[in-house]
Amino acid sequence: MNGKVTTARTRLERGRSALGPALELVHTGRAPTRAVLTAELGVTRATAGAVAAELEALGLIRVDSRPGAAAGSQGRPSHRLSVDANGPVVLAAQVHSDGFRAALVGLGGRIVATSPGAVTVSADPAQVLGEVVDAGAALLAETGLRCVGAGLAVPSAVAEPEGTALNPLHLAWPAGAPVRDVFAERVRGAGIAGPAFTGNDVNLAALAEHRHGAGRGAAHLLCVATGHRGVGGALVLDGRLHTGSSGLALEVGHLTVNPEGRPCYCGSRGCLDVETDPLAFLTAAGRTPGPEGSLLQQARDLLRNEYTDTVVRSAAEEIVDRLGLGLAGLVNILNPDRIILGGLHRELLDADPERLRAVVTDRSLWGRSGGVPILPCTLDHNSLVGAAELAWQPVLDDPLAALAQA
Ligand SMILES: [Zn+2]
């Protein structure tokens, strides 16, 4: 082998190892131009150009050479980079206590198509997962898009390495249901290409918000959210989900925030899960949930439309105070640099941001010393987008290998 060939191969391999990081930078919006990509990757302009061209040839990104820099800016305008709107997609699925939904999600966290949300969930996980995968397969058939993988979000901790739903407290599913294997089997059975993954819905929401939403740039991101029932938490450390030794970290729903409170499904009492979820708010406001709309939607409507009613307002304040107590405990333990709130918690923050921040500050050691920013989640369907992130991960890790397999 002569030196010239070795050099060319080395350059090729270096370029290949930069494909994944380059794709992740474009996917998360952190490299809007080739100049930024060059700087972020720490490579030469020629290498960055070759990497961008390769990703474009793979149908993953677009390189736009039309001048994009504003008049008067220094230097030559740089090529603009964006995800390819006609590129491949992944199938994302979400099951929650009030139904399920399938979607096709492109790079950049862009929802390309969704099925209408179903409103009943069978007690048999295989039945539900079969239905949601069929809904996704129908979307793929309608759109004709190439699918490179699938991800599922469930309202339960998912034990690793088994891939079992350990505590689907708000579904009638048996504890320990092998959801990851069942989902993967259904995906294969529907003829959908690529690997299949499963994760907890709030973990996945946090991952999506970190990459595309309110969590961008945070190094120690804490996410707390109500699903349709119950409360979950997640921590994204340096861009990766912290899931603990067996996938069960951040089960924040079972922090006690009211020792005399309501009995919880976990066997304890006064947990964040039952003291700050949509049902808790409706009950505190003296409302009986109606048959129309999910509990989350009914709680949202009450908060948005009747906040001036003193009973509704004091119910909201009670929930905010309990949520604040829970967040303060988490701030003391985890010392996050940002907290983001989803589901009903996001709406409660919007309704009275000062009250929640004041409770967290008063009740936490680190809150007092500086103040942790508390922000609302910004993505619609962030658990679905997060499920898609799981499916995109192999492509982000090694685009050539992943696309060759899918
Ligand atoms: Zn509990």
Side-chain angles (χ1 to χ4, degrees), residues 94-96 98-102 115-122 128 131-132 135:
Q94 182 182 10
V95 178
H96 54 73
D98 288 324
F100 59 83
R101 186 187 287 274
S115 66
V119 294
T120 51
V121 176
S122 162
V128 185
E131 287 176 39
V132 76

Side-chain angles (χ1 to χ4, degrees), residues 30-262:
R30 285 177 292 153
T33 66
R34 214 168 65 181
V36 177
L37 181 69
T38 305
E40 287 286 330
L41 290 176
V43 297
T44 63
R45 247 178 59 183
T47 301
V51 165
E54 172 97 45
L55 291 173
E56 187 176 40
L58 289 168
L60 297 171
I61 72 166
R62 296 292 302 275
V63 182
D64 186 348
S65 59
R66 283 175 298 170
S73 65
Q74 298 293 310
R76 285 202 294 171
S78 178
H79 290 39
R80 281 177 294 180
L81 306 178
S82 59
V83 299
D84 188 337
N86 300 314
V89 294
V90 295
L91 165 61
Q94 182 182 10
V95 178
H96 54 73
S97 63
D98 288 324
F100 59 83
R101 186 187 287 274
L104 305 182
V105 184
L107 282 167
R110 194 173 48 92
I111 296 178
V112 175
T114 58
S115 66
V119 294
T120 51
V121 176
S122 162
D124 176 9
Q127 168 81 24
V128 185
L129 299 181
E131 287 176 39
V132 76
V133 168
D134 287 348
L139 292 174
L140 284 167
E142 278 164 35
T143 59
L145 291 166
R146 180 185 181 192
C147 183
V148 296
L152 167 70
V154 292
S156 163
V158 177
E160 296 295 345
E162 302 87 353
T164 50
L166 202 67
N167 59 340
L169 297 178
H170 303 293
L171 300 176
W173 290 2
V179 283
R180 188 177 60 203
D181 288 351
V182 172
F183 180 63
E185 200 176 286
R186 295 288 159 154
V187 167
R188 271 196 306 276
I192 294 168
F197 302 88
T198 298
N200 167 264
D201 54 4
V202 177
N203 274 349
L204 298 180
L207 187 62
E209 292 285 345
H210 186 268
R211 292 186 176 174
H212 307 293
R216 281 167 74 163
H220 295 76
L221 177 69
L222 172 65
C223 175
V224 174
T226 52
H228 287 244
R229 294 287 301 276
V231 173
L235 185 66
V236 183
L237 288 179
D238 297 323
R240 298 280 163 186
L241 272 172
H242 172 75
T243 53
S245 59
S246 56
L248 310 179
L250 276 297
E251 273 294 300
V252 306
H254 303 285
L255 277 175
T256 303
V257 292
N258 179 13
E260 308 303 317
R262 305 155 216 258

